[in-house]
Amino acid sequence: MTDQATAPEAGNQDIPGKPTSASRTTLSHIMTHNDTNLLGTVHGGVIMKLVDDAAGAVAGRHSGGPAVTASMDEMAFLEPVRVGDLVHVKAQVNWTGRTSMEVGVRVLAERWNESAPPTQVGSAYLVFAAVDADGRPRRVPPVLPETERDRRRYQEAQIRRTHRLARRRAILELRERRAAEGFAD
């Protein structure tokens, strides 16, 4: 059964698709005093680097080679992370285009010495572009959602992509209009 959430993007029909589970990964790291900010909690930039590292690994696995971060959307910090927390960064490819991929990331934390279930402390969506040895875009395999949750994530990623492209167009149009009106930035 092929539906909108599993159909390969135009231009990628001849590349075999990969299931969502093929590149899904978890990166775990224990937070130390070296990771803290002036408030004594883990610095947001440390979490963002872990998010980018995990997402990059997933993008490289899915695309079968190098992939670079093109954008980070909606990085949300839900709870503070503390020294001694064991942080788990879970990432998967949600959607693929011709040369780009959206990777969804969930950040969980648990105390290193307790057996309580982890708490979600953050989430993010990143867009990666697959590149060749010369840094030029290269095609990626379509992602094949396997579960209803994967299909929902695929559809939500399409909505985010539509919004990113519309925002980019609106900003460029505004800049062109302002330039035509004689405003120099």
Side-chain angles (χ1 to χ4, degrees):
M1 174 174 131
T2 300
D3 63 17
Q4 190 176 24
T6 60
E9 292 297 311
N12 284 4
Q13 288 91 351
D14 58 335
I15 299 176
K18 288 186 178 179
T20 308
S21 61
S23 58
R24 188 178 289 139
T25 194
T26 300
L27 173 81
S28 296
H29 189 80
I30 193 158
M31 298 292 104
T32 68
H33 288 286
N34 293 334
D35 302 316
T36 60
N37 59 28
L38 297 174
L39 298 175
T41 56
V42 173
H43 196 289
V46 170
I47 300 299
M48 290 173 75
K49 181 176 183 337
L50 294 173
V51 164
D52 192 45
D53 288 347
V58 166
R61 280 176 150 184
H62 182 82
S63 69
V68 295
T69 310
S71 71
M72 178 183 270
D73 287 353
E74 302 179 37
M75 180 71 214
F77 298 99
L78 306 173
E79 299 283 337
V81 177
R82 301 174 293 158
V83 169
D85 280 353
L86 181 58
V87 172
H88 308 286
V89 183
K90 298 177 175 282
Q92 75 171 47
V93 173
N94 289 335
W95 174 90
T96 52
R98 199 175 72 76
T99 62
S100 64
M101 304 155 272
E102 183 195 88
V103 179
V105 181
R106 283 188 320 130
V107 183
L108 306 164
E110 60 182 313
R111 295 305 293 166
W112 68 275
N113 60 349
E114 296 176 8
S115 60
T119 302
Q120 184 170 355
V121 296
S123 65
Y125 300 100
L126 297 88
V127 176
F128 278 79
V131 294
D132 64 17
D134 296 320
R136 289 187 302 263
R138 63 182 174 78
R139 293 180 17 194
V140 299
V143 67
L144 304 174
E146 299 172 279
T147 66
E148 281 307 312
R149 182 182 228 178
D150 292 341
R151 283 184 273 287
R152 174 187 54 81
R153 288 177 175 168
Y154 185 98
Q155 291 167 339
E156 289 173 358
Q158 288 178 307
I159 292 168
R160 282 186 292 276
R161 180 175 186 271
T162 299
H163 285 244
R164 273 192 300 275
L165 294 174
R167 182 178 60 232
R168 184 179 304 146
R169 267 191 314 275
I171 289 169
L172 289 175
E173 289 169 6
L174 174 64
R175 288 178 181 173
E176 289 171 4
R177 214 171 34 251
R178 289 184 51 83
E181 293 169 357
F183 294 103
D185 287 336

